[in-house]
Amino acid sequence: MIHFEPITDDEPELVHSPMLKAALLTLGYIEANGPIGLTPLKALKRYFVAWAAEAFDWPHYTAAELYDMNKVLNEPDFPPLMILHDVLLSAKLVRHYKGAMQVTKQGKQLKSHPAVLWIVLATHLLCVLDHGQYTRYGDQLDGDWGILLGVINQEAQVAVTKERLCAALFGVSEKEMLRDYRLTGTLYIHVLRPLCWAGLLEEQRNGRGLERTRHFVKTPLWAAALPIARANDEAAPTRH
C-alpha cells in the first residue's frame, strides 16, 4: 500500500490528475442526467462513451485521436474510461443496478471532497486493481511500491524512458531493455500508466508509430502527495 500525504481540496496540484477530473465529470453527469445505461456485457453505452471522450479530453486519448481509429466509440475503445469504470466500482463510488451505473452514497459524499476522492481513486488504481487483466497475456509485475517509487523518484526528476527505469529497477542494461518489449510493457501497464493517470507522472510522447518515443517525468502532484519526494528530491539523478 502507498502512503499519501494529506492534501486539501483546494490543492492546485490536483489539476494534474486526469483520473480525478474524469471521476468528477462522471459523478456530475449522473447527478445531472441520471444513471448511465449499460450494455448486456456491463459496459457503458455508446452515448456516454462519446460524451466522455469529449468531456475528459484525456491526454493521448482525445476525441479526435479516438475517432481517427474508430467510427463509433465503445467503452473498450477508450481505455481510460474502461479503467475508470473499474476503479469507481472497486472503490464503491458507483454500482450497477437495473441495467445502469448509479452513484452510491459514498460517491455522492466524496464528490464534494476532491482531495479525499483523489486518494481513494489513486489507492484503488495503484494498489487494488489487477492491471494484469489489461495485458495480452495477463502478465504480472512482482515489485514493492516502496522500491518502485524510490527508483522513479530519483530517475524521473528529468524525463526518463521506461527502458531506463527498467534498467534501474532490475539491474540490467538499457540496451537489453530495448529488446525486452514484454518486461517494459508490463512495467508500463502496471506502474507507469497508472501513475500517469493518477497524475503523479506525466507521459511525454514524440513521433508516431514505430518512431514514437515516450518519456516520463514527475508532476508537481508527486511532491505534494508522496512523502518519499520530500526525503529525496534534493539528490540529483545518477546517470551511468
Side-chain angles (χ1 to χ4, degrees):
M1 194 64 69
I2 300 173
H3 171 70
F4 294 105
E5 290 283 359
I7 51 180
T8 61
D9 287 337
D10 60 354
E11 172 60 62
E13 313 305 0
L14 286 171
V15 73
H16 293 279
S17 174
M19 183 67 68
L20 176 62
K21 174 185 175 182
L24 289 170
L25 286 169
T26 299
L27 297 175
Y29 181 97
I30 298 174
E31 185 176 70
N33 300 283
I36 300 166
L38 298 170
T39 70
L41 294 178
K42 308 297 185 185
L44 298 167
K45 287 192 172 181
R46 284 178 180 173
Y47 71 87
F48 181 75
V49 181
W51 179 88
E54 295 283 355
F56 292 0
D57 195 28
W58 199 288
H60 312 301
Y61 292 92
T62 63
E65 291 168 314
L66 292 171
Y67 282 116
D68 274 347
M69 297 180 289
N70 306 278
K71 290 184 178 180
V72 296
L73 295 179
N74 296 299
E75 186 180 323
D77 300 322
F78 188 10
L81 177 60
M82 183 174 64
I83 295 180
L84 172 66
H85 189 176
D86 289 342
V87 168
L88 292 174
L89 286 171
S90 174
K92 294 182 169 55
L93 301 172
V94 301
R95 64 171 182 157
H96 291 172
Y97 182 68
K98 292 186 176 181
M101 187 171 80
Q102 303 186 358
V103 179
T104 63
K105 181 179 179 181
Q106 181 172 334
K108 292 177 181 177
Q109 291 173 340
L110 292 187
K111 181 176 176 292
S112 301
H113 301 284
V116 179
L117 176 60
W118 178 79
I119 290 176
V120 170
L121 293 168
T123 298
H124 282 263
L125 177 64
L126 299 171
C127 303
V128 179
L129 213 60
D130 176 15
H131 292 272
Q133 65 184 306
Y134 310 122
T135 67
R136 179 177 297 180
Y137 304 106
D139 291 335
Q140 298 296 325
L141 185 71
D142 294 326
D144 175 82
W145 271 112
I147 295 172
L148 291 168
L149 293 176
V151 171
I152 294 171
N153 188 58
Q154 290 297 323
E155 297 291 334
Q157 296 190 56
V158 294
V160 63
T161 65
K162 61 182 183 294
E163 289 80 16
R164 169 65 195 177
L165 289 171
C166 271
L169 282 165
F170 303 115
V172 295
S173 70
E174 283 185 68
K175 187 176 181 180
E176 184 178 346
M177 285 297 95
L178 287 170
R179 298 190 297 270
D180 196 337
Y181 301 111
R182 190 158 176 179
L183 180 56
T184 55
T186 300
L187 180 71
Y188 178 75
I189 294 295
H190 283 271
V191 178
L192 300 177
R193 187 172 76 175
L195 287 171
C196 289
W197 289 5
L200 295 165
L201 290 180
E202 178 189 351
E203 179 181 351
Q204 301 169 346
R205 297 184 184 181
N206 293 290
R208 297 177 65 87
L210 295 176
E211 301 299 319
R212 172 177 288 167
T213 61
R214 299 183 182 192
H215 290 80
F216 302 87
V217 66
K218 294 183 292 186
T219 72
L221 184 55
W222 180 287
L226 292 176
I228 191 173
R230 301 180 183 182
N232 296 328
D233 268 354
E234 292 184 0
T238 301
R239 298 297 179 189
H240 301 286

